């Protein structure tokens, strides 16, 4: 018998009414009954902060931890030191930066995620956010709700995506899908920056140019989308200096991880108008505190904020995929079978993927 601890978000009334909200504590990833019928213990909670949280009480003897990036249990070095039995940390979704991967390696804990499970969901959200920002949608909609009508006030800051130069930091599963989708908008040019090559056939299949440096991407693009994992090499990557290299009036979209971008740098750049807009669904702390400045920051014309709660990768379509994927990872572990290599982030004390930073 193993003890499995899952930290998920609370679904409340929505989860009672919608059983496909698998990522909630109520619906237990859709496999709680299966796990218990196999004789295992399954603790599910959304209570994850502080030493008295259910998470910290149960992590001390859990064998497997499952958590989602949407309501992440932060598995720090200190938590790993407490988690004496932990052998497997499963991310129900994509992005395992909530685990201190180096500390997991020291203890030879396997960290696995459900690669690819929600990459289309996020790519669609990126394109949507791009449209919302560039076309100045949010203040236009707010105006209507306020029973107002002022075309010029909106149109003075509304543009087309056609003809713009658009670039992605990271051209992995999501970044590549964003490029694929943007082709249809006839941009001036699509650019990508990544230290990993695309397979030759994938590179040939899209009309996008690789740039050698981040600086070139920053200074050339009208719109930039961030699609790399959070790791030592990307934490705070987009700071004041990086934003200063961007064109005045550029738009920045980040659905990767909030901490890749420096909180105050974005607030200031939006306030000054250096950035025309910032949007995404990821925050440096989740749930975002009520007074987080990204909630109500605006550009000088009253728009430019397309922030939402972290949901781009947790559409109902995505939830079934990452719930099934997490079950498969646990099943393999219980059966002593190897994991699908595409899902493994760290294993046997080392990184199994190149996506979390360049290492020897
Ligand atoms: P992936 O592993 O397929 O691709 C990531 C790419 O980023 C790799 O090609 C890697 O070489 C590149 N990269 C890493 N560091 C870089 C750097 N410093 N500069 C440029 N490129 C760099 O991952 P995938 O599936 O595309 O996901 C990317 C990230 O998106 C995840 O790690 C996660 O943080 C985030 N994500 C967010 C979701 C949401 O709901 N908002 C859902 C799914 C993923």
């Amino acid at each position: 018998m193993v003890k499995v601890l899952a930290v998920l978000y609370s679904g409340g009334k929505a989860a009672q009414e919608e059983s496909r909200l698998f990522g909630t504590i109520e619906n237990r990833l859709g496999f709680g009954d299966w796990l218990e019928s196999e004789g295992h213990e399954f603790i599910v909670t959304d209570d994850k902060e502080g030493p008295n949280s259910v998470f910290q009480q149960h992590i001390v003897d859990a064998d497997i931890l499952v958590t989602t990036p949407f309501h992440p249990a932060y598995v720090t070095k200190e938590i790993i030191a407490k988690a004496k039995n932990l052998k497997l940390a499963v991310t129900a979704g994509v992005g395992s930066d909530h685990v201190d991967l180096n500390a997991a390696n020291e203890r030879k804990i396997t960290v696995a995620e459900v690669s690819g499970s929600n990459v289309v969901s996020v790519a669609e959200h990126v394109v949507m956010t791009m449209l919302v920002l560039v076309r100045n949608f949010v203040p236009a909609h707010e105006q209507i709700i306020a029973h107002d009508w002022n075309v010029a006030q909106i149109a003075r800051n509304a543009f087309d995506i056609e003809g713009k130069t658009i670039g992605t930091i990271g051209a992995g599963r999501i970044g590549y899908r964003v490029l694929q989708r943007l082709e249809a908008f006839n941009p001036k040019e699509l650019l990508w920056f990544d230290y990993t090559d695309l397979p030759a056939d994938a590179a040939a299949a899209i009309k996008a140019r690789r740039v050698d440096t981040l600086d070139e991407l920053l200074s050339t693009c009208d719109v930039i989308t961030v699609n790399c994992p959070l790791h030592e090499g990307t934490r705070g990557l987009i700071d004041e200096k990086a934003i200063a290299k961007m064109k005045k009036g550029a738009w920045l979209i980040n659905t990767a991880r909030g901490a890749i971008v420096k909180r105050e740098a974005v607030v200031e750049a939006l306030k000054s108008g250096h950035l025309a807009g910032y949007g995404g669904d990821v925050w440096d702390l989740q749930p975002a505190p009520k007074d987080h400045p990204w909630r109500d920051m605006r550009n000088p014309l009253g728009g430019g904020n397309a922030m939402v709660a972290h949901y781009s990768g947790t559409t109902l379509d995505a939830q079934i995929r990452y719930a099934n994927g997490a079950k498969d990872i646990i099943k393999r572990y219980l059966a002593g079978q190897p994991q699908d290599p595409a899902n493994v982030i760290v294993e046997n004390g080392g990184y199994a993927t190149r996506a979390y930073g360049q290492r020897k």
Side-chain angles (χ1 to χ4, degrees):
M1 188 197 96
V2 302
K3 175 168 177 173
V4 183
L5 169 63
V7 179
L8 307 172
Y9 55 87
S10 163
K13 188 166 176 278
Q16 283 151 20
E17 290 173 5
E18 178 50 82
S19 60
R20 292 171 299 174
L21 276 167
F22 291 116
T24 59
I25 50 172
E26 291 81 359
N27 296 331
R28 306 197 306 163
L29 289 164
F31 59 69
D33 292 348
W34 162 75
L35 208 49
E36 285 162 354
S37 73
E38 297 281 306
H40 304 295
E41 188 183 359
F42 193 34
I43 308 285
V44 180
T45 183
D46 66 339
D47 180 21
K48 67 186 181 79
E49 303 300 339
N52 298 324
S53 61
V54 175
F55 164 54
Q56 289 211 24
Q57 283 168 34
H58 284 279
I59 195 69
V60 292
D61 61 349
D63 301 278
I64 300 175
L65 171 71
V66 188
T67 187
T68 72
F70 313 103
H71 187 73
Y74 295 106
V75 186
T76 59
K77 203 177 169 65
E78 294 70 36
I79 297 285
I80 287 181
K82 278 190 192 178
K84 301 279 183 234
N85 293 351
L86 191 64
K87 290 158 206 88
L88 173 66
V90 183
T91 304
V94 173
S96 298
D97 51 276
H98 53 276
V99 181
D100 183 328
L101 297 171
N102 295 327
N105 274 336
E106 279 170 28
R107 275 273 312 282
K108 296 200 171 154
I109 294 167
T110 297
V111 179
E113 60 186 43
V114 191
S115 293
S117 56
N118 51 16
V119 295
V120 167
S121 320
V122 180
E124 289 186 3
H125 195 95
V126 173
V127 175
M128 175 187 77
T129 307
M130 222 172 266
L131 284 163
V132 159
L133 285 176
V134 174
R135 305 195 60 83
N136 207 19
F137 177 84
V138 175
H141 185 59
E142 284 172 346
Q143 195 184 81
I144 290 306
I145 289 181
H147 297 229
D148 212 350
W149 185 280
N150 185 339
V151 175
Q153 181 55 26
I154 299 303
R156 69 182 292 187
N157 203 25
F159 301 85
D160 300 333
I161 285 192
E162 183 172 83
K164 302 293 180 291
T165 301
I166 310 174
T168 174
I169 302 173
R173 295 175 182 89
I174 296 173
Y176 185 79
R177 283 166 177 76
V178 170
L179 294 172
Q180 279 182 317
R181 282 156 180 74
L182 286 173
E183 265 185 41
F185 289 89
N186 295 322
K188 181 175 175 195
E189 199 175 19
L190 292 174
L191 305 179
W192 59 280
F193 170 70
D194 199 317
Y195 57 74
T196 307
D197 289 338
L198 279 172
D201 55 340
I206 47 166
K207 286 196 214 105
R209 177 167 68 89
R210 183 181 194 176
V211 294
D212 294 331
T213 63
L214 179 59
D215 279 5
E216 185 180 348
L217 190 100
L218 292 171
S219 60
T220 315
C221 289
D222 302 298
V223 190
I224 293 179
T225 152
V226 185
N227 296 297
C228 55
L230 174 63
H231 54 77
E232 300 99 317
T234 58
R235 187 175 291 278
L237 181 71
I238 308 298
D239 58 6
E240 292 81 357
K241 282 189 193 149
I243 292 177
K245 289 174 188 162
M246 291 175 67
K247 285 184 178 176
K248 182 168 166 39
W251 295 271
L252 180 61
I253 290 124
N254 177 16
T255 53
R257 283 296 176 262
I260 295 174
V261 169
K262 274 184 79 181
R263 191 194 276 205
E264 286 308 322
V266 167
V267 175
E268 287 309 313
L270 202 59
K271 201 168 152 191
S272 74
H274 188 79
L275 278 183
Y278 181 84
D281 66 332
V282 287
W283 304 71
D284 49 8
L285 252 187
Q286 291 188 185
K290 281 204 178 349
D291 61 352
H292 196 296
W294 286 5
R295 287 182 184 268
D296 49 14
M297 61 185 179
R298 303 243 173 191
N299 66 23
L301 295 175
N305 182 334
M307 288 305 299
V308 293
H310 191 170
Y311 84 99
S312 72
T314 189
T315 57
L316 292 184
D317 295 308
Q319 294 197 35
I320 182 78
R321 294 190 294 259
Y322 70 64
N324 285 341
K327 180 179 177 181
D328 180 62
I329 291 170
I330 293 172
K331 252 183 157 171
R332 286 173 188 243
Y333 171 82
L334 294 173
Q337 291 167 353
Q339 296 295 338
D340 176 345
N343 288 341
V344 183
I345 306 300
V346 301
E347 195 174 40
N348 300 324
Y351 282 80
T353 170
R354 294 189 61 215
Y356 282 76
Q358 289 172 291
R359 291 160 212 280
K360 285 187 191 122

